[in-house]
Amino acid sequence: MIPAIENAAFTPPNSAQSVIKPYVMSHGTLECYNLKASRKFYEEFMGFECVRHAIPAMVIRCGMKFHIVCVEVGDKLKPVNLLNHWGVDVGSREEVDRCWKAANELKDVYGIRKVMPIADQHGVYSFYLVDCDHNWWEVQHYDGFQHDDMFDFGDRFPMDAGTASAEVSGIKADEK
């Protein structure tokens, strides 16, 4: 089941004390080698809506009031690692399984560089893939709406609890 998105734009509770008074986090940016090849992946494989709004760039979106600006930089592209991934939620565990199978079957069609195994991790059932532009994507199922739950649950650890450097140091070189 795909949950309804309520209150997609709201005033963050701490904005009265902040310097910037935001009402929405509007966009992020990623790089690509070639807009045409990337657009094919985003529209046909990922199911995103794409609009080329500038000569060197296009915007992509999927629900909510947030978009990603995809900028063509050619050979100047800087690959990112797994920790710099974009997440996409699907409606069921079975849908994650179907997407994982499709990603493996269609790797050559869409230039998918790598598909990681499916795992139950950090409260979701998911897998990661690396697209033709070295961008990492997590396709996940969460029973509910993770965005709301994470903020509704609040801090689980104090800010002086240390760092996670030991946990993230286990990422393999090919995941960077």
Side-chain angles (χ1 to χ4, degrees), residues 93-150:
R93 293 172 71 94
E94 294 77 19
E95 184 66 3
V96 171
D97 293 338
R98 187 191 69 73
C99 294
W100 181 84
K101 183 178 180 199
N104 281 289
E105 291 172 353
L106 299 169
K107 283 173 85 169
D108 293 338
V109 174
Y110 295 104
I112 297 170
R113 295 174 181 275
K114 183 173 193 168
V115 181
M116 301 291 284
I118 296 173
D120 275 303
Q121 57 192 359
H122 53 267
V124 301
Y125 182 70
S126 70
F127 72 94
Y128 294 93
L129 66 83
V130 185
D131 70 19
C132 61
D133 300 311
H134 301 280
N135 296 302
W136 285 81
W137 296 89
E138 181 178 19
V139 178
Q140 71 176 29
H141 172 68
Y142 175 80
D143 189 21
F145 192 49
Q146 187 182 34
H147 177 83
D148 288 346
D149 285 352
M150 290 182 95

Side-chain angles (χ1 to χ4, degrees), residues 47-107:
F48 297 155
E49 178 183 5
C50 299
V51 174
R52 188 166 182 187
H53 72 294
I55 294 295
M58 66 182 167
V59 290
I60 60 178
R61 71 176 178 180
C62 178
M64 297 187 72
K65 300 293 182 190
F66 181 85
H67 61 274
I68 301 170
V69 180
C70 177
V71 182
E72 183 177 301
V73 297
D75 292 338
K76 292 183 172 79
L77 186 140
K78 295 176 196 78
V80 297
N81 69 37
L82 180 136
L83 294 178
N84 296 99
H85 69 271
W86 299 93
V88 177
D89 287 40
V90 296
S92 68
R93 293 172 71 94
E94 294 77 19
E95 184 66 3
V96 171
D97 293 338
R98 187 191 69 73
C99 294
W100 181 84
K101 183 178 180 199
N104 281 289
E105 291 172 353
L106 299 169
K107 283 173 85 169

